[in-house]
Amino acid sequence: MTRVVERPAGAGLLLRVVPPGLYAGRARVLVERAYLVNRRAWLSLVSGFFEPVFFLLSLGYGFGQLVSAVDGVPYPAYVAPALLAASAMNGAIFDATYNLFFKIKYARLYEAVLATPMGPVDIAVGEACWALLRGGLYSAGFLAVMLGFGLVWSPWAVLVLPACLLVALAFAAVGMAATTFMRSWQDFDLVQLLVLPLFLFSTTFYPLSVYPAWLRAVVQWTPLYHAIELTRALTTGHVGWGLLGHVGYFAVMAALGVAVAARRLGRLLTA
Amino acid sequence: MTTPLVEARGLTKSFGSFEAVRGIDVEVHPGEAFGFLGANGAGKSSTMRMVSCTSPRTGGELRVLGMDPDRDGPRIRARIGVVPQLDNLDTELTVRQNLEVYGRYFGLSRAHVRAKAVELLEFAQLAERADDEVEPLSGGMKRRLTIARSLVNDPDLLLLDEPTTGLDPQARHLLWDRLFRLKQSGVTLIITTHYMDEAEQLCDRLVVMDGGRIVAEGSPGELIRRYSTREVLELRFPPGEQDPEPVRDLAERVEVLPDRLLLYTADGDAALAAAHARGVRPVSSLVRRSTLEDVFLRLTGRTLVD
Amino acid sequence: MAARVVGPLRAALLGVEAQWTWYRRNWRATAITNFLQPVLFLLAMGLGFGSQVRPGEATGGAPYAVFLAPALLVLTAVQNAMFESTYAVFSAFKWQKTYLGVVATPITPAQILYGRLLWIALRLLSGAVVFLGVATALGAVTSAGAVWGVPAAVLAGMAFSAPVVAFTATREKPEAFNGLYRFVLVPMMLFAGAFFPLDQLPAWLHPLAWLTPVWHGVELARGAAFGTLGPAAALGHVAYLAALVAVGVLLGRKYFQRRLAV
């Protein structure tokens, strides 16, 4: 017997909050699907891990020989946590924008999914979980590489992984919300227009002190700056209560993103 | 006798060890509407691609417009129009731009293709959508645009590979109307289809292909006369209760289907009366004319060939 | 007016014309990556990171931004070539199937290839010219010799593009492009002497860098800008890059024919 109307026993908070029809509590099925797809394309999955490592080797060690230390930190140890945060952002944005758009518009995957008891919220939650799982794996891999190169200086670094997941969640949520407004591939160049400057200018490669005062104020408002502050503090051990401020920044960002994405996605997919 | 526009002798096409076309002889004459009828995988599209000079033949002889495709491919293609099975429109261009850009590949001047595009948009009933992108158009509109595009060089010969597959009845009839007009204006058509009504509507002459070979050739009427009877009597029964024995001798041929009997006969009404007289009590009965479908199923069988 | 068969050059120009028709409507989709990206890199790496670098032997005695600018010219060309040679071509074969429409006209598969390559070269040229202008405005160009960086960048970009287009013509699925990006393009950009001189890498890596079009392009562009390029070396780099283009065109002709005339 297939149960169609009833919800699974032990329904969670989300099940009680979200109107029936939008959520069947089976988001994990989409995660399983993603696993099946990626098991076949594992090479592409694994290769994603190498990109930040290449950047670390090139920028940290090659490029880094041009400068000795930044803010008293040797260049590789300075740039590595920033690359970690940036790759969490890049992965999340890529999944939440390009991949999502492709699946909505071309693969018609969700059309088929929505013809079953699954609802749009199952889709949103399922896709987000998979993206986080994958992002978490990459972050863990990169962290291991940093450890191998002696770039992790503090036990606080164990918190880098959850920090990266939070950062990824926040970027994914906002990215997903933005995707629901996209009309064609042309709009994705705007995503590039936002992501690339974030990657380049958020104190990833050089300290904030390079900027004039007004520009410093602007950079300090941007999300990747907060992510980098967080990861850099944790791996170098400069930890203080102030870090909670960064955490709060991403919590708010994630909440706003999820709220908009869930509403818009529901309307878009069931329209 | 005019020279044929297409002349094939023992034409074959293989993909690796798979033989898609196994030696066919075909002649298509100017002004004709010629059909290739066959199930999926019968070799129709491979034949079409060889005739359109986009696929080199494996063996046999082929002349298109009196020229050899291997040697004169571009010169032949300059004078034919091709409507492929799947639309390959440039979906990022507008409807009009699709026509203009394509026309330019035929070495036509900008002014010429501009004027031609206007004419073709009218012909395809797409003038109102001229400056819209292709992507949001309906299937029927895209198909009409592909046909319009194939006419941009005023071809002597138009090749249409399953022109109406997947279209709704309105769109099909509109397309048939356009193709009929082309035929009236003297364009030679070659059409592949697995729709029998389409073949009956459009083709003067056709061949039935099966497994890469031609199994029958003639006009639709000739084929029906040769391979079927004038009429077919369909007797419907509750599933499992159909018994051919009492009516076996009332028709030239009796076919048993899960819920009915098909009696192939010259006079359906007479056969029905005879069946009633013998106490055969079907749930319902129908007398209809034989169609190409009957011919086709007779020639290629009812089993799925995939 | 009767339809006719056009010559190969005319056919290639028609390919460019078709692309231009598309580009006029869709330029926005790639404008930022083509034109703005290198400028952002110059600002961040050249000026931002460069502020941490003291001019020295490694940078040819010049400020880091001046050292980096000619290399960025080449990197931009190679990177722009990536998308235009992979997904754009793949889509025309597989997703949109526009090439299948074109071969039904008098245009041949080889002519489609020429048209595509010519179009890519023009795109790279426009990107390089714009970047050179901006870099000059930002003070990262200090010698007239830097102008030679434009042809060097286009040549290096095409030396990457032509073989990649040929490779694309053999693909049934786009997955390989990910690998190409991650394991060829990115390492090539990061380790072939663009951001820092090759001597800062272990010696065993040097021969690998010498194989890349980026290294030859950067040697040409930077050498011309700094006036350190001898004629023999210049000839060698140009010859190597031209050979890559030639190999790409020959393979591409073969694969386009195989793919489009089956």
Side-chain angles (χ1 to χ4, degrees):
Chain A
M1 264 289 285
T2 7
R3 286 186 309 169
V4 180
V5 212
E6 311 145 59
R7 300 223 166 140
L13 175 67
L14 202 51
L15 275 175
R16 273 173 276 138
V17 176
V18 178
L22 291 186
Y23 189 51
R26 297 207 188 106
R28 95 192 114 74
V29 185
L30 272 170
V31 178
E32 280 165 29
R33 178 201 167 268
Y35 169 73
L36 286 177
V37 171
N38 281 276
R39 205 173 51 174
R40 291 212 339 247
W42 61 273
L43 193 66
S44 150
L45 188 70
V46 171
S47 72
F49 156 79
F50 286 95
E51 206 175 320
V53 175
F54 284 145
F55 268 89
L56 178 64
L57 291 176
S58 168
L59 300 182
Y61 292 93
F63 195 61
Q65 285 177 31
L66 301 174
V67 289
S68 43
V70 179
D71 292 342
V73 178
Y75 197 71
Y78 180 82
V79 84
L83 289 172
L84 182 58
S87 91
M89 169 184 82
N90 280 328
I93 293 270
F94 184 78
D95 263 329
T97 57
Y98 292 89
N99 276 354
L100 186 71
F101 188 75
F102 180 80
K103 284 184 195 157
I104 292 179
K105 187 133 180 150
Y106 292 95
R108 305 255 167 88
L109 170 68
Y110 299 136
E111 232 169 78
V113 173
L114 288 175
T116 73
M118 306 270 280
V121 175
D122 293 280
I123 293 176
V125 173
E127 290 292 346
C129 286
W130 169 252
L132 288 184
L133 260 173
R134 197 169 74 163
L137 279 178
Y138 288 159
S139 299
F142 190 78
L143 205 59
V145 172
M146 283 176 67
L147 205 63
F149 279 99
L151 303 175
V152 175
W153 297 356
S154 148
W156 284 105
V158 293
L159 291 180
V160 165
L161 208 55
C164 282
L165 288 180
L166 177 64
V167 168
L169 174 69
F171 276 107
V174 171
M176 218 184 255
T179 303
T180 62
F181 290 94
M182 307 258 177
R183 290 149 306 167
S184 73
W185 290 113
Q186 304 228 12
D187 293 331
F188 283 97
D189 225 31
L190 299 175
V191 176
Q192 271 299 99
L193 183 63
L194 289 172
V195 172
L196 189 66
L198 285 182
F199 174 60
L200 291 172
F201 299 109
S202 300
T203 71
T204 323
F205 302 105
Y206 48 87
L208 195 61
S209 57
V210 167
Y211 295 125
W214 65 272
L215 207 51
R216 255 178 261 169
V218 174
V219 170
Q220 279 173 311
W221 274 104
T222 59
L224 188 60
Y225 168 79
H226 290 275
I228 291 174
E229 286 293 296
L230 195 58
T231 52
R232 200 172 268 153
L234 290 171
T235 58
T236 57
H238 293 94
V239 176
W241 287 108
L243 291 188
L244 287 178
H246 303 307
V247 174
Y249 184 102
F250 288 108
V252 172
M253 188 171 153
L256 283 177
V258 167
V260 175
R263 278 187 54 174
R264 292 270 318 167
L265 208 58
R267 209 176 313 155
L268 207 67
L269 289 177
T270 52
Chain B
M1 186 79 186
T2 50
T3 13
L5 290 188
V6 178
E7 201 178 358
R9 293 271 168 274
L11 184 62
T12 63
K13 177 76 194 182
S14 308
F15 299 98
S17 62
F18 172 68
E19 289 178 82
V21 179
R22 306 173 178 223
I24 59 169
D25 298 340
V26 172
E27 271 184 20
V28 181
H29 296 279
E32 236 185 341
F34 186 87
F36 284 97
L37 198 59
N40 293 332
K44 306 181 306 271
S45 291
S46 300
T47 307
M48 286 294 253
R49 299 202 352 95
M50 285 190 279
V51 174
S52 67
C53 310
T54 51
S55 167
R57 63 178 182 266
T58 308
E61 280 173 50
L62 178 64
R63 295 190 82 73
V64 183
L65 304 172
M67 293 179 272
D68 177 356
D70 282 352
R71 254 205 354 261
D72 294 312
R75 278 176 59 203
I76 298 171
R77 292 199 299 267
R79 287 173 52 198
I80 61 180
V82 176
V83 176
Q85 198 174 96
L86 298 172
D87 291 320
N88 50 30
L89 297 162
D90 195 326
T91 51
E92 285 165 332
L93 295 182
T94 65
V95 170
R96 187 196 306 277
Q97 284 172 336
N98 260 281
L99 297 175
E100 290 179 355
V101 165
Y102 206 72
R104 296 280 287 151
Y105 291 130
F106 291 91
L108 300 168
S109 73
R110 277 200 193 82
H112 182 87
V113 294
R114 211 172 296 142
K116 191 78 198 169
V118 172
E119 179 193 322
L120 289 172
L121 286 169
E122 207 58 55
F123 171 79
Q125 293 193 6
L126 287 168
E128 281 171 22
R129 307 296 298 264
D131 297 306
D132 291 355
E133 271 195 27
V134 166
E135 184 54 41
L137 297 187
S138 72
M141 288 177 174
K142 283 186 185 154
R143 212 61 190 140
R144 291 200 313 268
L145 179 56
T146 305
I147 292 180
R149 191 183 70 172
S150 71
L151 297 171
V152 74
N153 57 330
D154 293 307
D156 300 326
L157 173 64
L158 187 60
L159 305 173
L160 302 119
D161 198 354
E162 297 190 9
T164 66
T165 297
L167 298 185
D168 63 34
Q170 282 83 358
R172 290 181 77 201
H173 280 273
L174 180 59
L175 265 179
W176 286 346
D177 171 68
R178 299 294 122 155
L179 293 177
F180 190 73
R181 283 203 219 174
L182 284 174
K183 196 177 138 188
Q184 295 298 95
S185 66
V187 179
T188 306
L189 304 177
I190 301 182
I191 299 162
T192 76
T193 183
H194 48 227
Y195 292 132
M196 307 307 134
D197 52 346
E198 184 158 285
E200 279 183 287
Q201 284 265 345
L202 294 174
C203 300
D204 304 320
R205 210 155 59 81
L206 52 91
V207 292
V208 179
M209 284 189 81
D210 188 34
R213 291 199 176 84
I214 290 175
V215 292
E217 180 176 354
S219 71
E222 276 167 18
L223 288 175
I224 291 170
R225 275 197 297 283
R226 204 177 320 149
Y227 295 99
S228 190
T229 49
R230 202 170 68 87
E231 291 183 341
V232 182
L233 168 63
E234 296 197 9
L235 301 176
R236 284 180 183 267
F237 295 90
E241 289 178 25
Q242 75 283 35
D243 177 13
E245 288 322 316
V247 295
R248 188 70 83 186
D249 60 328
L250 295 180
E252 278 179 36
R253 197 156 61 86
V254 176
E255 200 172 352
V256 186
L257 297 184
D259 65 336
R260 71 193 118 147
L261 299 174
L262 299 188
L263 281 71
Y264 293 88
T265 167
D267 187 342
D269 287 318
L272 180 60
H276 277 304
R278 291 182 189 181
V280 177
R281 293 283 174 268
V283 177
S284 67
S285 60
L286 168 73
V287 176
R288 60 169 174 81
R289 279 186 56 225
S290 242
T291 65
L292 268 184
E293 190 143 341
D294 301 308
V295 173
F296 186 73
L297 291 175
R298 168 95 192 265
L299 287 170
T300 62
R302 281 192 188 268
T303 10
L304 211 51
V305 282
D306 285 341
Chain C
M1 182 163 190
R4 63 196 169 86
V5 180
V6 298
L9 179 64
R10 189 70 207 292
L13 288 174
L14 286 174
V16 169
E17 186 184 311
Q19 287 296 325
W20 173 244
T21 312
W22 171 85
Y23 191 73
R24 271 195 343 236
R25 292 177 53 79
N26 297 282
W27 59 272
R28 209 161 59 77
T30 48
I32 288 166
T33 24
N34 281 355
F35 298 116
L36 202 59
Q37 186 164 326
V39 175
L40 294 177
F41 263 91
L42 183 63
L43 287 172
M45 298 305 196
L47 300 176
F49 173 82
S51 69
Q52 308 289 301
V53 181
R54 217 165 297 136
E57 202 194 327
T59 64
Y64 186 70
V66 176
F67 169 81
L68 185 62
L72 272 183
L73 201 57
V74 175
L75 288 189
T76 304
V78 171
Q79 193 170 23
N80 286 348
M82 175 74 192
F83 176 82
E84 292 294 322
S85 317
T86 54
Y87 289 99
V89 173
F90 186 80
S91 168
F93 276 118
K94 189 90 188 178
W95 289 326
Q96 300 231 35
K97 303 190 192 295
T98 37
Y99 285 168
L100 294 184
V102 179
V103 285
T105 75
I107 307 291
T108 64
Q111 292 168 348
I112 295 179
L113 171 72
Y114 303 151
R116 170 62 69 171
L117 292 177
L118 189 58
W119 169 249
I120 296 176
L122 289 172
R123 291 287 297 272
L124 302 189
L125 180 66
S126 67
V129 169
V130 170
F131 176 68
L132 189 69
V134 177
T136 310
L138 290 171
V141 173
T142 51
S143 77
V147 173
W148 287 104
V150 171
V154 174
L155 184 60
M158 292 315 290
F160 179 63
S161 169
V164 171
V165 169
F167 172 74
T168 300
T170 65
R171 295 294 95 187
E172 285 298 328
K173 285 178 165 187
E175 269 88 20
F177 302 145
N178 246 326
L180 189 67
Y181 178 82
R182 285 178 171 146
F183 293 109
V184 179
L185 183 72
V186 168
M188 196 159 83
M189 296 178 68
L190 290 173
F191 298 104
F195 288 103
F196 51 88
L198 208 53
D199 351 321
Q200 298 191 353
L201 288 179
W204 60 269
L205 272 175
H206 294 185
L208 274 179
W210 296 337
L211 287 176
T212 67
V214 169
W215 183 73
H216 294 276
V218 168
E219 286 294 302
L220 280 172
R222 191 174 276 151
F226 283 56
T228 53
L229 187 68
L235 201 67
H237 294 306
V238 170
Y240 180 77
L241 292 173
L244 280 181
V245 175
V247 168
V249 170
L250 288 177
L251 288 177
R253 277 172 47 155
K254 188 169 139 199
Y255 296 144
F256 268 56
Q257 181 72 26
R258 191 192 290 169
R259 178 91 180 234
L260 292 172
V262 283

